[in-house]
Amino acid sequence: MIERASAWAPGKLILAGEHAVVYGHPAIAFAVTLGTTVQLARRPGHTEVEGCTAADAEGAHLIEADPRLLTALRAALPEQGLGVHIHTDLPVGRGMGSSAALAVALVRAVARLEGREAAAAECQARGFEIERVFHGAPSGLDHTVSSLGGGLLYRRGPDGVRWTRLSLPALSLVVIDTGAPGDTAEMVAGVRARRPAVDPVLDAIGALVPRVEAALGQADPSAAARAVGPLLTENHRLLARLGVSTPALEAAVALALDHGATGAKLAGAGGGGVAIALLDGPPDRLLAAARAAGFGAFPAQISPPESP
Ligand code: PMV
């Protein structure tokens, strides 16, 4: 019997299409090199989360496990016999897919404890079950990106989920963290409550995504940054009209545009969380300005696709 196993899964950033993706429009997202590790060890007695740590610029520290997280874990693990340790270097609750990364890492770790590797399809299916506990009615984008890695065009229509891998140019992206968590379930419910009045905004977000995809098709990163950037800013303005931006996110986007970004937007459900900025060139000036303004800021790197 295998006594202990561990597995990692990446977080994600949404380049275009959040919220609209819940209603059948396409979205573009990519896996990042930051993620979550789950370690499982057999032990006598009840299954328990023994430790939950997060790392940021200041080092690793203990974090309190979200009660929804504990419910989700209970649903996915045997009642008896496991000690669970969770470590993440993703900012938690900021739209970077920390809960999906946890779900996918957990599915992978459980499979390893059984002496096998979980295929992407299993991570997607079981990850979705776990994600539902956190998010209520998620589109499935987060855990699909976490399961598959790389860049993805994702759509959940009436006929099911469809996704296409996107090979992204080497984009220079900066994450600007407002430091405030956003509640995805609450933001999604808020948008739902504002329908049908906001349907034209959701349609406009959906219509932007194929334009972003076409702009990303340019192999030259500089040309891609100049073409994609303004579309990201347009996406942000539409998300603000949906009511999911905050003064801190507005300040982050304005700061990015003032410091050379070709475009910037909030990323994820909003109500807090992070903004992403696209640059045509090195990120240093924007990183310094964002930190000087009191934001967390770091470059985002794309995590390569999982082999099938
Ligand atoms: O988990 P977040 O905060 O990145 O939000 C996911 C994106 C939404 O479109 C707002 C929700 C969803 O399920 O797709």
Side-chain angles (χ1 to χ4, degrees):
M1 186 148 73
I2 298 170
E3 285 300 318
R4 50 187 67 239
S6 108
W8 177 87
K12 63 95 199 29
L13 282 164
I14 301 178
L15 263 187
E18 53 269 86
H19 285 291
V21 70
V22 175
Y23 304 100
H25 293 289
I28 294 173
F30 61 91
V32 294
T33 48
L34 303 178
T36 300
T37 302
V38 171
Q39 291 175 299
L40 301 175
R42 298 196 193 273
R43 51 159 252 174
H46 283 296
T47 291
E48 250 179 59
V49 177
E50 294 171 336
C52 208
T53 54
D56 56 23
E58 275 112 53
H61 47 91
L62 278 175
I63 53 170
E64 193 137 330
D66 182 323
R68 283 179 297 178
L69 177 145
L70 297 176
T71 313
L73 290 185
R74 266 196 282 279
L77 291 168
E79 250 175 66
Q80 301 285 329
L82 286 181
V84 185
H85 281 263
I86 299 162
H87 177 74
T88 190
D89 50 15
L90 286 162
V92 175
R94 311 280 221 292
M96 289 194 66
S98 61
S99 62
L102 169 64
V104 173
L106 186 71
V107 173
R108 287 183 177 152
V110 169
R112 283 187 183 158
L113 207 59
E114 293 166 358
R116 60 190 184 85
E117 291 296 310
E122 179 181 353
C123 294
Q124 277 176 271
R126 295 202 49 217
F128 194 45
E129 294 303 313
I130 302 170
E131 268 281 277
R132 266 209 271 258
V133 181
F134 288 109
H135 285 176
S139 65
L141 171 66
D142 283 26
H143 72 275
T144 302
V145 176
S146 185
S147 301
L148 297 169
L152 221 60
L153 175 71
Y154 178 91
R155 180 174 212 151
R156 187 184 65 171
D159 49 343
V161 164
R162 271 181 292 153
W163 50 265
T164 320
R165 283 196 187 281
L166 292 180
S167 98
L168 300 175
L171 300 174
S172 173
L173 286 158
V174 164
V175 177
I176 304 176
D177 185 358
T178 64
D183 188 315
T184 301
E186 189 187 313
M187 300 315 290
V188 170
V191 171
R192 191 179 297 281
R194 291 190 281 282
R195 293 186 73 201
V198 295
D199 283 359
V201 183
L202 293 168
D203 292 345
I205 293 173
L208 260 182
V209 173
R211 293 170 60 202
V212 174
E213 185 192 0
L216 284 168
Q218 324 209 26
D220 172 33
S222 191
R226 288 194 306 270
V228 174
L231 300 173
L232 300 190
T233 308
E234 205 176 320
N235 193 160
H236 177 76
R237 304 271 179 252
L238 291 165
L239 287 164
R241 280 175 56 196
L242 272 188
V244 300
S245 190
T246 64
L249 285 166
E250 291 305 310
V253 167
L255 180 129
L257 296 175
D258 282 350
H259 289 82
T262 60
K265 67 183 275 289
L266 73 87
V274 301
I276 46 170
L278 180 58
L279 293 135
D280 176 12
D284 311 67
R285 195 165 77 92
L286 176 55
L287 287 171
R291 287 171 189 152
F295 292 110
F298 51 92
Q301 260 122 32
I302 302 169
S303 181
E306 291 287 321
S307 44

